[in-house]
Amino acid sequence: MTDTAVSTQDPAPIVAMTGISITFPGVKALDGVDFRLFPGEVHALMGENGAGKSTLIKALTGVYTVDSGSIVVDGEERTFAGPAQAQAAGISTVYQEVNLCDNLSVAENIMLGHEVRRAGVVDWRRTRSAAREHLRTMNLDIDPKSSLSSHSLAVQQLVAISRAMVVDARVLILDEPTSSLDADEVARLFDVVRALRDRGVAILFVSHFLDQVYAISDRMTVLRNGALVGEYRTADLDRVELVQKMIGRALAVLEELEEAPKRSVAERADTQPFVQAIGLGRKGTIEPFDLDVYAGEVVGLAGLLGSGRTELARLLYGADHADSGEIRVEGVHTKMRTPRNALARGIVYSSESRKTEGIVGDLTVRENIVLGLQADRGWLRRISRRKSDDVVNRYIEALGIRPANPEAIAGNLSGGNQQKVLLARWLATAPKLLLLDEPTRGIDVGAKAEIQKLVADLAAQGMAVVFISAELDEVLRLSHRIAVLRDRRKVAEITNSDAVTTDDVVHLIASGGQS
Amino acid sequence: DSGDAETAGGDSGDGGAITVGFSQVGSESGWRAANTKSIQDALTAEAGFDLSFSDAQQKQENQIQAIRSYIAQGVQYIAFSPVVESGWDSVLEEAKDAGIPVILTDRAVDSEDTSLYVTFIGSDFVEEGKRIGDWVSENLGTEPINVVELQGTTGSAPAIDRKTGFEDAIAGNDNISVIASETGNFTRAEGKTVMEGFLQAYPDIDVVYAHNDDMGLGAIEAIKAAGKVPGKDIKVVTIDGVKDGMTALAAGEINYIVECNPLLGPDLAEIIKTLESGGTVEPRIVTQDEAFDQAGAQAVLADREY
Amino acid sequence: MATDQLTPSKAPTDARPSFGSRVRRFRIDERYVPVLGTVVVLIAMLAIGGSRYENFLTGRVIANVLINNSFLVVIAVGMTFVILTGGIDLSVGAVVALSGCVAAWMFTHGYGAAVAIPAVILVGTVIGLVVGVMVHVFEIQPFIATLAAMFLARGLCYIVAPESIPITDPTIVALARTRWGTDDGLVITPSGVIALAVVAIAFVTLHYTRFGRTVYAIGGSEQSAKLMGLPVARTKVLVYVISGTCAGLGGLLFAIFSRSGYALTGVGMELDAIAAVVIGGTLLTGGSGFVLGSVLGVLVLGLIQTIITFEGTLSSWWTKIFIGALLLIFVVLQRLLAIRRR
Amino acid sequence: MSSVMSSAGTVARHRLFWPVVALAVLLLACVLKSNTFLNITVLEGHLYGGPIDIVRRSSVLLLVALGMTLVIATRGIDLSVGAVMAIAGAVALSQIAASDNPESLTVVLSAIGSAVLVCLMIGVFNGFLVAVVGIQPIIATLVIMTAGRGIAMLITGGQITTVTSAPYKTIATGYWLGLPVAALIAGFFFVAMALITRRTALGVLIESVGINPVASRLAGVRARTIIWTVYILCAFFACVAGFIRSSDIMAADANNAGLFIELDAILAVVIGGTSLAGGKFSLVGTLVGVLVITTLTFSVTILGIPANAVSLFKALVVILVCLLQSPVVRQKMRKRRAAPVGTAPAPVEVPA
Ligand SMILES: Nc1ncnc2c1ncn2[C@@H]1O[C@H](COP(=O)(O)OP(=O)(O)OP(=O)(O)O)[C@@H](O)[C@H]1O
Ligand SMILES: Nc1ncnc2c1ncn2[C@@H]1O[C@H](COP(=O)(O)OP(=O)(O)OP(=O)(O)O)[C@@H](O)[C@H]1O
Ligand SMILES: [Mg+2]
Ligand SMILES: [Mg+2]
């Protein structure tokens, strides 16, 4: 059942893991997985959400202790007690969720533990200039003294990657480094990765973007449900096969989505928009803009990272206070002071940063899913067990949340599955307007297709949707109308049709709507 | 050695009122409140004083800080009730250097250099314990009795001294055995809790000796709850003589109280006046503490001030 | 297939803003705002005190605030380390008492200052180590581990010195008596110098060593610090050792200050230290704050105490209410300043 | 056979296993010292004996710890509970003492009413500082911790206000159906809160706010209101505890009522398995924690521990319980019992 794709003339692997098993309470996250990594290759680790990719990486770097199996690094059997030891052995890792300290400056985050010292005392000037150098390799021109939290997720991700470059690593592990990056940044990252590969560094790369995987990797290992499916040369495995290996069945949904663009012709039943923003703005975050969203319509927000899409959505949701303009819901002027006001009007917002603004980590999947519903009802009227069973099981099944156990602690779920739980929370409230900020980030191919299909279906059933995604393709495919943002300003709005291409939108962004 | 106090009279220029800084221990008990009130009532403007009062909240560091402040403010006299016995030499030396006479109230300090303060007025805790012990020995110790002791705050001077005094007094009487001794922190609530425990653990208690009235009053509640009669089935002896204690004594629930007089204000005022007019005072003035049995309490209860 | 994975590849690079232009600019570094708030309110308090009471704004009064609180400064410095990692240390008050008792005991048993002084400080170190091990190795919550250590230290006090013991050792007496400076102006004592030295060392440690930066990183996110490969274990144990040592040293300074060892000293001192640290702008959640802020916090508490003494007419209960009110005004003002600046 | 083994293992693995063992050991020690300790007799129509004393004694701490549990679950802490207890006693008793007829039920009820009102206002004040102004809980509540006793003393004039009032006395020392009224009051509020938090959604919303306030707000939870509510509840329970404490000695002791009870309450909450980092809480755990601490205090007297060694004795018991209960030790024990499991993930538990 397990395929092997390495011929005998390959050099000795720098990392060889054999028979790795890890069990969490209730989940067998890894089951006898073998994995090899060779110097001078980019190796993609593939699998659905929850397949065990991140767990395998954490097993290698000593975050988790393995139940059984052996890890050989550079011909020597090793058990790392933690990332520090792995780093010392030349394994540098960027973990999936950005793991930096946002109370510290960019420079410190990059150089922590590797500060330039003179006589035991940190020389900040030299440390900062070293940090600036590392940022420059990522083409990042930010002030190393600025605080990390003042930067968007994308920048933070790039900072995390810069940090990994600080040590002269022989193995570089990147767990979904590109999920919040735009094409340009991805291209730059890949330049760096290629250069490292040519220097003989072994690179382990995880991504749900098949294009990227095919563009950069030499070899791939596929996991499914914690078990090894096989190891292949990228050149030998085409996409359809790869996806089939990942999900273990044919890709019906994908094909379906492929065939029929879900965007139906915008025939507005209502003459009145569901939500109307007039001159809505907030100093320092987004300039005043007008935006109408009709029932049954998907409005896509396009723009580069940091263009203000998140801010726009947050204003509509009342998560931030607008300091100018007004919002009308179904024609009625409405105060959006808190998210509760929005919720009461059937407006919900799924945040882009699920770790800090979405998931309530220590609660169970069940509690997380019904949280929105419960908050809307107030504390007195608890949702009955039967009703919550209903809702929870429905969405666990509909979105394919794994493990399909409502009592699992949400914080322990894999990244992609957490995103699904969040989505379930909002869908369960049967909203009229769904503000989706990067709902497909970090989600595997199958699930992504399903979410897209879901959005299209919901709109078809009359729900209004605002859809934010870094992937223009996705925005184009789903949206009826696209609002283009640039530098925290809405610069254009176009009605979507088959004739509109990504290039058109990119052009609009570039020209700032002046063309 | 208290004669050098006159030197301080020099800077009393402002309208004749004598400036006095008083640093109180805190406000931890009713006794202390009565003490504070007595001092504030005695050292009034009408009486010719300008009193600066501060509460150290049971912290020696606050008290030292307050005394230093008084020195900085340039008061004419400093009086204080030390939180602890030890550790006053430095700050008292500063006061001496500044020529400010210091009067100790209520509690003594253990400085070897007695020239650091003019006088001490207050009670003798050991003596108080001893008087209780003598009374128990004479009146109850004629047959074998079991005594339980409710100590004050562990490590505090009154607790240590009252325990010692009591032990000294009963040492010769073989009839008396102290079967248990536990701290009740000088509070009613803890006095009651500890007594409840004693009643569970020791079925044959004859006498309760509480280091202050409050713990004694707590113990009485516990005795009643256990279905016994305080003052009869179990005798209660305490120290302090605050109003509640005297009332209970008069009501027959307590058997004997040795007073620890908190009304030091008038004495303090008089001492300062004497010093101010160039007179001398005794280096140690032990207040006249009375002791009351049930009949005595009934007699004085009506006109007790505190 | 899988075109849904495509991302636009033709993004014209000249059109996109550089990341640098997107950094939010603040007039004052956000991190300094709480400390600045403390400074502003502290100055306001001095001004009000000076206008209300004569002899208030004298060098002697100001110097006294530092001298009388030098032990608290040292303790607050240690506490800052702990709080920066997101922990808390409730044992310091009891450790101060214990080291005082040990000092008094050793002096009465004929040990010289050369032996006793290091031993006294070591007492704190050992208790800090015990706490550190409980917190790190056994993953007991800092609040509880240090609470247990507080009971333990307090219990040992009663064993070592059931009653208050005076200290007559010549070295200690000399340390207590020495003062440098003019008679009525600014004076400084050896304790004050020690406290300032501790502050300076702590400042350098926190801001110019890897250990110090790791302290901040752990406070920011322990999880991230671990994944970044920082020595989290060692650092976490060390901050409690530092805090314990500071408490030991604080106990020594207190022993010098009061020239005695007494089991009941330092009750509630841990709250004073925590309050000082928090008033100094450090967040109890960790990761943000400065040791200099903690020094300011101690000065604020000392100043509140001084104002009360100068007020002179407060009865015991008004004293308590007054302290509470000043504390309230202080934290609310500081908070409002912080919000305004945001 | 093996199933017996494994169920014993499950019991031993329970978070409350060691606290319960500690409780049992302490009781056992008391029985060995005083063999009548566990005897419950009927005295003047009500039950009397060691266990009854412990239950009645626990009521004050239980009430305080109950409120504290909720506050801690929202990542907060309330240091002011002791002062609130003092104020409750001071307000109620000075009002009763000032009335013409201290024995009348209406006087007592109105005194209790005004004390509750005052305490609720303190709760509102604390909640306002924490939830609206955004001051860190430990400092926000430190204000009342300091000033509150001053307020209580202001009310009593610094004296210990003593009254005789049969209705008020009933609160702490009365018996109903043979059981102590104090314990019944505490038990009532305990059961009520347990039901309210678990039968309604309040519990889960409190936890959600404690775990991730930002996410909770975005999910539409009234985070601010909830935080505010728990501080009010905490003040209310402290107020009731203050009634019991003052009724117990029939005096309002502004200085000592509830002194340092916040530490005991926090200790009880943590021994009961609620993390100070907020989030999941367990009221049953808190109950066990309270019983352990009360029994510990009680056993000091029964066992005749010398006054100088009391602190040490308490410290050793607390350290022992905490060590045995620590995740690491429990992990080790589990390892010995069952087949090895991954060490890193924390054990998953469902709260009581
Ligand atoms: N600390 C943990 N405790 C319990 N279960 C865990 C823990 N970490 C991971 N799991 C479970 O292990 C499985 C594998 O998770 P992992 O994070 O490795 O997935 P992944 O392949 O990285 O998925 P994704 O693409 O969504 O990131 C999941 O079912 C997850 O719920
Ligand atoms: N807390 C903050 N402090 C400083 N700058 C911020 C903060 N939050 C957002 N920004 C900046 O505001 C700009 C707008 O951010 P926003 O998140 O709205 O962009 P976006 O279009 O949603 O992009 P993204 O895809 O990164 O989410 C970004 O440049 C971001 O760096
Ligand atoms: Mg993953
Ligand atoms: Mg965004």
Side-chain angles (χ1 to χ4, degrees), chain D residues 157-198:
Chain D
Q159 301 290 347
I160 297 181
T161 307
T162 310
V163 300
T164 31
S165 163
Y168 196 78
K169 197 175 163 87
T170 313
I171 297 176
T173 43
Y175 286 82
W176 192 57
L177 303 178
L179 292 171
V181 172
L184 291 175
I185 293 175
F188 168 77
F189 284 117
F190 178 81
V191 171
M193 272 330 283
L195 286 179
I196 289 174
T197 50
R198 293 306 170 202

Side-chain angles (χ1 to χ4, degrees), chain B residues 24 26-27 32-33 36 40 51-62 64-74 83-91 93-94 98 107 110 112 153-157 160-161 164, chain C residues 54-55 58 60-61 64-65 67-69 71 158 162-166 168 176-177 179 254 256-262 264-269 272 302-303 305-306 308-317 319-320 323:
Chain B
Q24 180 60 286
S27 46
R32 187 65 61 190
T36 300
Q40 284 174 332
L51 174 69
S52 238
F53 175 88
S54 74
D55 178 333
Q57 325 250 338
Q58 277 102 279
K59 288 183 189 163
Q60 185 179 21
E61 60 266 32
N62 285 353
I64 293 180
Q65 193 167 346
I67 295 172
R68 290 217 167 115
S69 274
Y70 290 143
I71 299 172
Q73 281 178 46
V83 178
V84 220
E85 290 181 355
S86 311
W88 301 99
D89 299 13
S90 303
V91 69
E93 279 159 16
E94 283 171 42
R107 297 189 187 177
D110 61 5
E112 280 167 15
T153 307
T154 313
S156 69
I160 295 167
D161 292 349
T164 316
Chain C
E54 49 181 312
N55 291 352
T58 57
R60 183 164 200 159
V61 173
N64 272 347
V65 172
I67 293 171
N68 290 338
N69 289 294
F71 58 91
Y158 295 124
E163 12 189 327
S164 146
I165 307 176
T168 49
R177 285 217 177 121
R179 20 197 71 219
F254 194 85
I256 293 173
F257 176 72
S258 69
R259 273 157 72 179
S260 68
Y262 182 42
L264 285 175
T265 45
V267 175
M269 200 180 278
D272 289 345
L303 211 58
Q305 206 59 46
T306 309
I308 282 166
T309 315
F310 269 83
E311 191 56 41
T313 51
L314 294 175
S315 60
S316 295
W317 37 97
T319 304
K320 286 187 199 294
I323 296 180

Side-chain angles (χ1 to χ4, degrees), chain A residues 223-494:
Chain A
L223 299 180
R224 187 167 68 227
N225 283 335
L228 177 68
V229 176
E231 188 189 86
Y232 314 91
R233 278 181 203 288
T234 309
D236 298 346
L237 195 68
D238 73 25
R239 293 172 188 214
V240 178
E241 281 178 304
L242 170 61
V243 172
Q244 277 175 2
K245 293 207 187 300
M246 279 164 59
I247 67 178
R249 63 192 149 90
L251 244 191
V253 207
L254 263 195
E255 281 154 11
E256 196 184 317
L257 199 73
E258 204 59 17
E259 286 157 15
K262 282 296 164 288
R263 159 172 32 92
S264 56
V265 194
E267 283 170 33
R268 282 177 200 141
D270 311 333
T271 45
Q272 182 188 37
F274 174 69
V275 160
Q276 200 175 6
I278 305 164
L280 200 66
R282 179 180 155 89
K283 266 206 201 79
T285 51
I286 185 155
E287 285 173 41
F289 63 91
D290 297 336
L291 185 72
D292 297 346
V293 187
Y294 289 84
E297 180 190 51
V298 179
V299 174
L301 297 187
L304 296 173
L305 295 179
S307 56
R309 295 163 299 177
T310 297
E311 261 69 10
L312 190 155
R314 285 176 67 94
L315 285 190
L316 286 178
Y317 186 56
D320 295 326
H321 264 292
D323 50 20
S324 69
E326 64 162 322
I327 299 180
R328 291 192 186 152
V329 180
E330 293 174 315
V332 183
H333 172 87
T334 309
K335 280 209 183 94
M336 288 298 179
R337 295 181 155 278
T338 67
R340 288 191 63 80
N341 299 139
L343 269 175
R345 304 262 166 341
I347 301 174
V348 299
Y349 166 70
S350 158
S351 163
E352 65 179 334
S353 46
R354 59 169 170 254
K355 193 177 169 188
T356 53
E357 297 183 349
I359 286 291
V360 181
D362 292 346
L363 292 187
T364 62
V365 168
R366 170 197 304 282
E367 288 162 333
N368 264 286
I369 291 181
V370 298
L371 187 62
L373 211 53
Q374 184 66 67
D376 192 32
R377 278 193 174 202
W379 65 272
L380 252 183
R381 297 188 300 137
R382 195 175 87 126
I383 290 161
S384 72
R385 183 67 185 203
R386 187 132 47 79
K387 170 127 199 246
S388 94
D389 272 344
D390 252 22
V391 171
V392 171
N393 290 333
R394 176 144 48 92
Y395 286 103
I396 285 181
E397 199 183 329
L399 300 177
I401 294 170
R402 240 164 290 153
N405 171 14
E407 310 310 334
I409 301 295
N412 288 342
L413 259 51
S414 79
N417 281 306
Q418 291 186 5
Q419 184 68 48
K420 294 180 194 169
V421 168
L422 262 189
L423 215 60
R425 176 192 296 170
W426 296 123
L427 293 180
T429 63
K432 293 185 186 148
L433 169 61
L434 189 55
L435 304 163
L436 293 176
D437 196 355
E438 305 280 7
T440 54
R441 175 181 293 167
I443 282 205
D444 67 53
V445 204
K448 186 177 276 183
E450 277 168 25
I451 286 178
Q452 291 176 4
K453 185 165 173 296
L454 191 76
V455 169
D457 288 348
L458 290 170
Q461 287 160 26
M463 195 183 291
V465 179
V466 170
F467 188 83
I468 304 175
S469 170
E471 292 165 59
L472 273 185
D473 262 1
E474 213 175 51
V475 176
L476 268 163
R477 175 130 28 83
L478 288 172
S479 316
H480 299 103
R481 259 181 317 127
I482 300 173
V484 180
L485 280 85
R486 173 184 156 150
D487 292 347
R488 308 187 195 175
R489 203 157 56 81
K490 185 180 155 193
V491 291
E493 188 175 310
I494 52 172

Side-chain angles (χ1 to χ4, degrees), chain C residues 86-102:
Chain C
I88 200 158
D89 191 347
L90 297 181
S91 68
V92 290
V95 171
V96 165
L98 179 59
S99 51
C101 288
V102 169

Side-chain angles (χ1 to χ4, degrees), chain C residues 25 28 52 91 142 193 195 197 232 260 267 269 272 276 300:
Chain C
R25 281 179 227 287
I28 294 175
R52 268 183 70 95
S91 68
V193 172
V232 171
S260 68
V267 175
M269 200 180 278
D272 289 345
V300 167

Side-chain angles (χ1 to χ4, degrees), chain B residues 32 38 127 161 192 200 214 221 225 239 245 282 290 294:
Chain B
R32 187 65 61 190
S38 155
E127 180 63 25
D161 292 349
K192 182 171 179 192
Q200 293 293 345
D214 283 330
E221 294 293 326
I239 297 174
E282 289 292 307
E290 292 178 55
Q294 293 172 347

